[in-house]
Amino acid sequence: MFTSKEEFKEQFRKGVLDSYGRPLEESHMTEQFVVLERMTRVQTSKNWADTKKCVHDNEQKEVHYFSMEFLMGRLLTNNLMNMGYYEMVKEGLADLGINIHDLEDLERDPGLGNGGLGRLAACFLDSLASSSLPGHGNTIRYQFGLFKQKMVDGYQTEIPDQWMSLTNKWEIRKSKHMVDVKFWGRVVWDEQTGKFTHVDAECIRAVPYDIPIVGNDTFVTNTLRMWSSEVSDNIPTNKDFRQYSQEVNEICQNLYPDDSTQAGRVLRLKQQYFFVSAGVQAIVKAHLRQYPNLDNFHEKHTIQLNDTHPVLAIPELMRILVDEYDYEWLDAWSIVKQTMAYTNHTILSEALEKWPVDIMRALLPRVYMMIEEINRRFTGFVKEVADNPEEVLNHVRIIKDDQVHMAHLAIAGSYSVNGVARIHTNILINSEMKHFATLYPNKFNNKTNGITHRRWLAYSNLPLRNLLKETIGEEWIHNPDKLEDLMAFVDDPKIQEQFLDVKKQKKEELAAYIKEHNGVEVDVNSIFDIQVKRLHAYKRQLLNVMHIIYLYQEMKRNPEFRIYPRTFIFGAKAAPAYFFAKKVIKLITSVGDVVNNDPVTKDYLKVIFVENYGVTLAEMIMPAADVSEQISTAGKEASGTGNMKFMMNGAITVGTLDGANVEIHELVGDDNCAIFGLTEEQVQETYRSGTYSSWDIYHNDFRIKTVIDSLLSTEWGTSSEEFRGVFEELMNHNDQYLLLADFDSYVKAQKRVEELYKDRTKWARICLVNIAKSGYFSSDRTIGQYAKEIWHIEPVKKL
Ligand SMILES: *Cc1c(COP(=O)(O)O)cnc(C)c1O
């Protein structure tokens, strides 16, 4: 531990010498980085230990956030800043001739998540600790995170993400807390004990690695626990050892890079049960170290299930209570139902998780028995309370058509079910889960997502932070609602001018990155129009491309038609097996190759695809945006959080009334965002009426026809067959996501944005209003609501 710059320097020198046997002057930059990372981790130790002790001695209730994904991003800068040591360390290193930014850039960005869902989990951990609340993460320690995207000839290729190859000094292996997790085998009735036992099981050892989660300006330091699989002492006798050890390794090898469909089914189910069982076992053991029994388990622990991936926690806790601690069914069920809370993240039907009964029964025989019994009793309950039980059962059965419906199990076994934006929760209550909402009217609630304004504004946009500091001070760092004080300055010409300078500075940084990585010069005076997020049909990157194609074609055929220069920037990973998504990426890069080089358009239009989008890139991209593209088909995006990051950095949203865009629109008003497209009700009505025809629109709108026709031409420098799959989706599968229906209003919204941008005063005002109103989207607000309305947990008090 160090408390002054001089101490830091001395310990840093010693650290390098001790670790690598050479003086600082002769050490390599990577060695310096490893030492700095370790020193920063050590710096958390005292607070980490103090937090554990306080929570224990206060007998406080804790929340455990169970998630298959935590998309943490780099930790070094964040942790030094949260702890308040950043400036000291930066200056200390500078004294030693080292630029801290060089070391910061060596940290790998652990991609232990796909997108929004995993990033939400990471923002929540930051806000929990920063609000001094006792709350921990529980997940898998993946050997390889989400693949690294490498573009080859405009196509996405995937390479493994070796995130731990250099070092990971944040984690501490906690061997004393390891547990075994059982798979396969069978369940037998033991006459002697009068109990069921799981025999012939394949045991896999789960070893926790803990990472400290430091809060901002608080001693509270929580834990992210990542479980790693190892060979158990209990080696299966009926299996070849090599086979067994390969199965052990497989469990923690890969993050599933597909967040919308099921793949590698059995292995994925194994992963789920692995981290859930280990996590629940560890919490039970910790509880019993402090309390005589588990009767008060739900008073001291609550488990938040991030989507359905960790829902096996429900039957697993039942199994532990009934089999291992001899609880009667109803007593156990009462504890479980008061412990578990579930967050729903999607209403896309293909993403609602179901597991075939035969897989579940074979892999997890005792857990499956628990699910069967839960289902049997739940069915009885429905028959008792529902007016038309058969009709209701059709929609709520946990086991139906030989499949286990994880969302149904989650709702039946938890005390809270929340959606992640107001419109999303309303859809759950009024349509998707309406039968459940009738059965349990008080269980459903909304918690609109948020993002940590520390990482996404204070730490990643220093020029904007400084401008805010000079204008309204820094109270907003502790209380993000205080950003609203900026409203008093939105018409101040000096502040407007300074804001435009800040934006330009961030655009220059991104332009330099693009020059280096894409080899394209972009004009920082052009509108930076950005869509970065996972590539998915419902997010409609294709609609954005269609607009670009339209602009290009219009400029080519009409010399009078000229636009304000615009730079369209995309970043997106596609699931490796998602054919359509990969073709859209290729379309973006191909269109870019043409428009960026055409003498008629190159000064007006640039299209850039940024390779390997992830948290670290997002931290550079968000501050540089003028326009934020949030254009999903209304009703399909549960919340979105990218939209919030853009807003907080002063970009205007071009968006549909979907997810949290609805709340953004409500906060900033019509004048400060550009809303377009069908509403969710209109989308539902379009599907319901069955009258939608993409061919009709095609034949009635010359612009659309010309854009679509280009997909089957060589206009984009490819074979005319290259984009047939994209064409088919729109025309012969009747445009499931209604791009053609929204095209005209999207073009108009974009035209409006162009007009606004030309008036620099008006534009700066819009951006400042967006920043001022963005405090609502801090995850500190979201976590405050979870803590008060769901978890009933209190800040950790120092003893
Ligand atoms: C915020 C974030 C997301 C979520 O973006 P959406 O636009 O809400 O889908 C995905 N990936 C990364 C790296 C992010 O930081």
Side-chain angles (χ1 to χ4, degrees), residues 71 115-116 119 456 532-533 539 613-615 618 630 640-642 645:
L71 201 50
R119 185 54 231 173
W456 294 109
V532 285
K533 48 181 76 243
K539 292 178 181 280
Y613 178 60
V615 173
Q630 308 300 335
T641 49
K645 299 168 198 163

Side-chain angles (χ1 to χ4, degrees), residues 22 25 114 198 205 208 220 236 267 309 332 343 356 380 387 416 484 503 534 625 644 665 728 732 749 757 765 782 795:
R22 28 183 188 172
E25 288 67 25
N114 279 289
H198 188 174
R205 173 142 304 168
V220 172
L267 187 51
H309 321 130
T343 303
D387 295 335
S416 162
E484 185 111 24
K503 184 60 84 177
R534 283 302 291 261
M644 304 168 186
H665 172 235
E728 290 293 325
N732 294 332
Y757 191 86
R765 186 184 194 283
T782 315

Side-chain angles (χ1 to χ4, degrees), residues 363-374:
L363 185 68
L364 309 169
R366 185 59 182 147
V367 165
Y368 181 69
M369 286 173 72
M370 293 290 158
I371 296 174
E372 262 189 336
E373 182 62 11
I374 293 169

Side-chain angles (χ1 to χ4, degrees), residues 217-279:
D217 201 16
T218 166
F219 81 103
V220 172
T221 303
N222 292 320
T223 301
L224 171 59
R225 176 158 282 185
M226 307 189 297
W227 293 96
S228 191
S229 55
E230 295 184 10
V231 168
S232 163
D233 288 340
N234 236 322
I235 292 172
T237 50
N238 55 354
K239 196 167 247 172
D240 173 59
F241 181 75
R242 273 183 47 200
Q243 166 87 24
Y244 167 67
S245 107
Q246 191 191 327
E247 285 180 27
V248 167
N249 291 333
E250 247 172 22
I251 291 187
C252 293
Q253 214 141 55
N254 288 299
L255 168 85
Y256 277 91
D258 195 334
D259 46 8
S260 59
T261 60
Q262 299 302 323
R265 300 188 67 86
V266 175
L267 187 51
R268 194 177 157 90
L269 188 62
K270 261 186 158 174
Q271 288 188 323
Q272 294 185 354
Y273 184 65
F274 175 75
F275 90 93
V276 155
S277 172

